[in-house]
Amino acid sequence: MRPVARETLSGFAADLGGTKIAAARIEGGAVAERLQTATDGAADPDAQVEAIGALLDRLGHRHGAPLGVAVAGRVDAAGCWHAVNRGILAAIDAVPLGEKLGRAFGGGTALNDADSAALAEGLFGAGRESDSFAYLTVSTGVGGGLVLGNRLISSGNGMAGHVGFVSSRHASGPCGSGRRGTVESIAGGRAIAAAAAAAGQDVADARAVFAAADAGASWAERIVDASAGAVATLIGDLAAILGTDTVALGGSIGLAPGYLDRVGHALGAEPALFRPRLVPAALGHDAPLIGALAARLGKDTT
């Protein structure tokens, strides 16, 4: 997969996550039209592809037009799609997604959604001037992607970049990946809501916890600070392992008002060598879509 110039990106993209499916028509590297619908987490693979197709049809996609697809979970080197967290996409298990995209749409490149966002941010957004860039998405869970020397780091099993599943000294509880004591198990939205429930608070979701923290509730501030502290430690670990010089935060929690400042404050406790530049993601919800098409067109140039 070779880097491509943003202005050459024209085609279509889809982003299938745990809560929504988005699709876009992209012209000259910008999203010209975008549609989305709710994800049916229990749907089988064919139904998921059909849902993507329904959006693409409305956008004017024609069989064989350039298409990149970002999905939650991992995509291995053979193009098979696996749900790492079966609680989000219950029916996804070693699905030959590349083949299904070929039959349904005349071709298409599939990759993990955080990897796709990382590629877009690394080439065109917050990491475009970085030699060693990490993108972290903190949302329902915690994901990430790594772009070193303008190339997305990948692995045969599709696990490269799943940094939310690494162990954290801040955590001890279970994670949807099957591990215990991970970054995701304390920092993600589900973990934040679970921590509030365990503290006896009647809140619906992580958004309510953030609202309470903004209002000065000490119990909520402790939970949000625990999330931010785990992410800050992860950032220090990435600096130690990869020499990252820039880290961008994205996702609904990562971009929530005040969260980046909390992470930055916690990161300040690390020695200077382990404090890369911390910035907000620049491309917002368009990043996975732009990155997916960049991956498709970059693959075509190899």
Side-chain angles (χ1 to χ4, degrees):
M1 184 188 304
R2 297 184 184 277
V4 294
R6 184 170 180 177
E7 61 270 17
T8 67
L9 298 180
S10 292
F12 297 83
D15 175 19
L16 191 156
T19 59
K20 64 175 175 58
I21 303 172
R25 176 171 52 83
I26 296 173
E27 296 179 358
V31 171
E33 187 178 2
R34 174 191 170 100
L35 300 171
Q36 74 178 51
T37 189
T39 301
D40 179 356
D44 65 28
D46 289 336
Q48 300 287 14
V49 172
E50 288 174 8
I52 291 172
L55 295 178
L56 291 174
D57 284 346
R58 292 168 57 193
L59 292 167
H61 179 271
R62 295 292 180 264
H63 199 77
L67 173 65
V69 177
V71 293
R74 61 185 178 93
V75 180
D76 65 26
C80 288
W81 179 24
H82 311 258
V84 181
N85 186 341
R86 297 293 292 276
I88 296 176
L89 295 169
I92 304 304
D93 185 16
V95 176
L97 184 57
E99 295 178 10
K100 289 182 179 294
L101 295 178
R103 288 196 297 270
F105 308 118
T109 294
L111 72 165
N112 168 263
D113 51 2
D115 278 345
S116 183
L119 182 62
E121 291 284 352
L123 295 181
F124 315 123
R128 64 186 180 276
E129 297 180 356
S130 170
D131 292 324
S132 184
F133 173 71
Y135 167 81
L136 301 180
T137 175
V138 187
S139 189
T140 304
V142 178
L146 310 169
V147 179
L148 308 183
N150 288 330
R151 288 184 178 269
L152 179 69
I153 300 303
S154 61
S155 61
N157 64 1
M159 277 296 288
H162 280 76
V163 294
F165 299 145
V166 304
S167 298
S168 174
R169 68 172 185 262
H170 302 270
S172 60
C175 172
S177 68
R179 303 191 78 198
R180 295 188 68 88
T182 66
V183 175
E184 181 168 306
S185 73
I186 191 170
R190 287 187 173 183
I192 288 171
Q201 302 297 323
D202 184 17
V203 296
D205 52 25
R207 187 186 302 271
V209 178
F210 270 79
D214 289 342
S218 58
W219 65 267
E221 289 204 20
R222 286 194 296 270
I223 292 172
V224 174
D225 282 342
S227 169
V231 171
T233 298
L234 171 62
I235 291 170
D237 290 342
L238 291 174
I241 297 168
L242 299 171
T244 46
D245 57 58
T246 303
V247 175
L249 282 188
S252 58
I253 290 173
L255 293 176
Y259 187 79
L260 187 141
D261 290 338
R262 291 177 185 267
V263 174
H265 178 75
L267 189 61
E270 295 278 354
L273 189 60
F274 303 93
R275 297 197 305 262
R277 186 171 69 104
L278 178 63
V279 296
L283 301 177
H285 59 241
D286 290 340
L289 297 164
I290 293 171
L293 183 58
R296 174 60 180 176
L297 297 178
K299 184 176 180 181
D300 286 345
T301 64
T302 57

